[in-house]
Amino acid sequence: MRPLKEQLVPIERLTREPYHWFYGYYDNQPFSDDLQYHLCHRIPFMNHMPMAGEVAELGMIRLRDNAFIPLSETLAWNFQQGSMYQWRPGHTDEVIYNVCYGGIYRSVIQNVKTGKKRIIPMPVATVSLDGKCALSINFSRIFWFRAGYGYAQIKDPWENKLHPKDDGVYCIDLDTGDCRLILSLDDMYKISKPYMETEDELYRWKYLVNHINLNTDASRFLVLFRGREDKPLSKWRTFTITANVDGSEPYLLLERLASHLHWRDPKNVMIYANTYKENKWGCYLFRDKTHEVMKYDPHDEMPGDGHCSFSPDRKYILNDTYPDKEGYRSLFIYDIEKEKSHLISRIATIPHQELADIDMRCDLHPRWSRDGSMISFDSVHEGHRHIYRIRVDEIMEAIGK
C-alpha cells in the first residue's frame, strides 16, 4: 500500500522518530503568530488508548529546522483533541492547555519564552478568538461517552445523574480565572425534550456536551448535546443548541444528527449534517436562531463527512475524509466561489477494523495557519504518528489560482 496517492503538492514531515507526535483537533491554532513555531504533543506509544497516569509531553516544533522545544507535560489528553493545546489569541507568547492537578482537571496558561505558568481552575474546551474567555465542559463525562474525546484520570462526579442541574457549560474569564455555570445539562435536556421520541430517551438516557465552539466574536456558542443508554456502543442522539455566551437565549438549531462544524462569522455556522429541507447529508451553512440553511457544494464535490474549516479569508473550505475502501483518507480544499473541490492527496491510514479501539485512530484534522499561508495535519501513513505541513501558495499554483 503506497503511503500517498494522487499527491498534488510537496508534503513536509515536521517530526522525527522514534517518538509518536500529533497536534490534535482541527479547530484549534497550532501555528504561532510569527509562523516560526508549531505546537505538538509527543508520546511514546500509539498502540493503546491513554490510561490513567500516562503522560504526553507538550512542546513546539521550530519550523526553520524542525527542532523540538519541550515546554511542559500533561495527564489530561486524548488521541483526538490532545490537551486542547493552542496559542492564546491576542497574547503572542502564551499557550493554553489542559492538565490534571490534585485530582482536578484544570488548564494552564504558559509563557513560552519565560516558562511562567498561571493555573486556571477549569479545563478549556473552546477559546474565544480574542483570547479573553473560554468555555469548559465535563471531560470525565465525555470519557464515559467517547473515550477518545475525554480524559482518563478522574471519575465523573455526576456519573449516576442523567442530566444534572449543576453541570453543563461553564464560562471562564481567562484574565481573572473566574468560572461560572451558564447552561446546565438539565437546561439543554428541557430544550431538547419535545423532540425526544422514545421512553428511553426521555427517562433512561444519560446526556452530556460532546463538542462546543464559540462563534467568531464570542457572543454565542454552539454545543452538540448528545445522549445514549449507559451501555457501551449503544446508539446516540444529537441535538444542536446555540446560546449567548452568558447562557441566555438558547436555541435548538437542529434535532437531527450533526457532525463537524466551523463558524463563518458571528451569525452563520457550517455544519456537516442532514437537514429536513434537503433530507441529504452535506456541508450546510446554518443561520443562527433561524431555520435558514444553505448547502455548500451543490454538485456534491465533497466526498463526505470530515473536519471542515473555512480559510481565514473565507474563500475556501479545508476538509478531509474518513478511510475509503482502499484505506485512504482524502485531503482536499474546496473553492466556495467556483463550487469546485481540489484533491491535495489521498493518504494511507490504519484501517479502523485493525485498531483495538476506534478512538485510537489518527484522523488528519487539517488546520490553517492564522494567516492562511500554511496547512498542517496529523497522519500515520509512514508507520508512526507524525505532523505534516503544506504551503498553501503551492496548492494555489497547482490549481491555477
Side-chain angles (χ1 to χ4, degrees):
M1 186 175 184
R2 291 167 53 194
L4 299 172
K5 294 176 71 174
E6 300 175 55
Q7 184 179 344
L8 181 69
V9 293
I11 297 174
E12 177 190 4
R13 174 152 60 92
L14 301 180
T15 48
R16 302 167 184 163
E17 300 172 9
Y19 293 99
H20 298 282
W21 312 75
F22 70 104
Y23 173 68
Y25 225 39
Y26 69 104
D27 55 0
N28 293 328
Q29 183 53 251
F31 290 95
S32 59
D33 283 350
D34 62 7
L35 306 180
Q36 299 302 304
Y37 300 95
H38 188 291
L39 302 180
C40 62
H41 298 77
R42 185 169 79 169
I43 52 176
F45 63 88
M46 71 173 208
N47 62 351
H48 66 266
M49 290 290 287
M51 296 183 289
E54 290 191 309
V55 167
E57 291 182 83
L58 305 177
M60 305 186 298
I61 303 162
R62 188 171 58 206
L63 294 177
R64 73 168 183 265
D65 58 4
N66 294 347
F68 174 64
I69 301 171
L71 292 176
S72 190
E73 61 181 33
T74 184
L75 293 167
W77 68 281
N78 55 59
F79 277 128
Q80 300 307 311
Q81 297 178 322
S83 59
M84 293 296 184
Y85 188 29
Q86 59 196 284
W87 294 94
R88 185 186 177 193
H91 300 75
T92 301
D93 298 328
E94 289 186 349
V95 294
I96 187 165
Y97 53 89
N98 293 338
V99 295
C100 182
Y101 288 163
I104 300 172
Y105 292 132
R106 308 175 190 271
S107 53
V108 170
I109 294 176
Q110 180 174 341
N111 187 296
V112 299
K113 290 185 175 179
T114 67
K116 184 179 179 181
K117 298 179 181 181
R118 181 162 58 89
I119 309 300
I120 303 296
M122 298 191 77
V124 299
T126 178
V127 177
S128 64
L129 291 182
D130 62 5
K132 293 181 179 179
C133 74
L135 300 180
S136 183
I137 53 180
N138 184 338
F139 285 94
S140 296
R141 200 170 182 91
I142 298 174
F143 186 79
W144 157 79
F145 181 71
R146 299 174 77 189
Y149 297 83
Y151 303 147
Q153 310 300 318
I154 304 166
K155 275 194 168 185
D156 176 16
W158 296 274
E159 64 178 333
N160 296 319
K161 293 187 177 183
L162 300 181
H163 40 87
K165 296 180 179 180
D166 47 355
D167 186 33
V169 177
Y170 303 82
C171 188
I172 307 170
D173 185 317
L174 293 178
D175 290 323
T176 67
D178 291 340
C179 309
R180 62 189 179 93
L181 180 67
I182 56 172
L183 192 67
S184 74
L185 294 178
D186 192 59
D187 292 332
M188 289 178 270
Y189 170 80
K190 289 174 180 175
I191 293 165
S192 308
K193 186 176 179 180
Y195 299 92
M196 295 178 184
E197 299 169 348
T198 67
E199 293 288 305
D200 284 343
E201 285 182 75
L202 285 164
Y203 304 115
R204 286 180 282 277
W205 280 20
K206 190 170 164 181
Y207 290 89
L208 78 159
V209 173
N210 189 180
H211 293 292
I212 185 167
N213 290 85
L214 282 158
N215 69 358
T216 56
D217 68 357
S219 59
R220 286 179 69 80
F221 64 90
L222 181 151
V223 302
L224 298 185
F225 179 65
R226 287 176 169 162
R228 68 166 173 83
E229 290 182 86
D230 197 0
K231 297 178 183 178
L233 305 178
S234 55
K235 68 176 183 178
W236 73 66
R237 177 89 185 270
T238 301
F239 299 91
T240 304
I241 298 170
T242 62
N244 289 337
V245 76
D246 63 0
S248 64
E249 297 186 36
Y251 184 84
L252 183 62
L253 194 65
L254 186 66
E255 68 276 12
R256 286 186 169 194
L257 181 61
S259 185
H260 303 99
L261 62 106
H262 195 241
W263 287 91
R264 187 186 73 178
D265 52 56
K267 294 183 179 180
N268 296 280
V269 59
M270 174 174 57
I271 309 175
Y272 188 83
N274 186 353
T275 70
Y276 285 112
K277 182 179 178 181
E278 297 276 350
N279 197 27
K280 185 177 183 180
W281 284 97
C283 274
Y284 293 90
L285 190 70
F286 289 81
R287 188 163 181 83
D288 190 15
K289 301 172 69 174
T290 75
H291 293 294
E292 296 176 26
V293 60
M294 179 196 78
K295 186 175 186 292
Y296 281 120
D297 189 22
H299 310 297
D300 295 319
E301 293 251 338
M302 295 193 201
D305 187 14
H307 303 89
C308 51
S309 63
F310 290 104
S311 60
D313 62 9
R314 293 335 194 221
K315 292 181 179 180
Y316 300 93
I317 296 169
L318 178 64
N319 210 344
D320 63 352
T321 67
Y322 290 108
D324 61 21
K325 292 179 181 179
E326 293 183 87
Y328 287 88
R329 299 175 185 271
S330 292
L331 178 65
F332 62 95
I333 191 169
Y334 180 78
D335 186 321
I336 295 172
E337 181 182 2
K338 293 190 175 181
E339 298 178 346
K340 177 69 175 174
S341 180
H342 300 277
L343 179 67
I344 298 171
S345 188
R346 295 177 64 212
I347 301 169
T349 192
I350 300 170
H352 289 176
Q353 62 268 25
E354 295 182 14
L355 299 173
D357 190 305
I358 194 170
D359 282 335
M360 291 162 48
R361 70 187 186 276
C362 184
D363 295 343
L364 301 180
H365 293 151
R367 51 257 159 188
W368 301 90
S369 62
R370 206 179 303 276
D371 70 341
S373 67
M374 292 186 283
I375 290 166
S376 73
F377 64 93
D378 303 331
S379 181
V380 292
H381 66 269
E382 293 186 283
H384 270 61
R385 280 185 179 254
H386 283 298
I387 301 171
Y388 297 83
R389 174 175 63 165
I390 299 172
R391 298 184 184 277
V392 173
D393 60 352
E394 294 179 342
I395 297 174
M396 295 298 115
E397 181 178 355
I399 65 176
K401 298 293 286 188

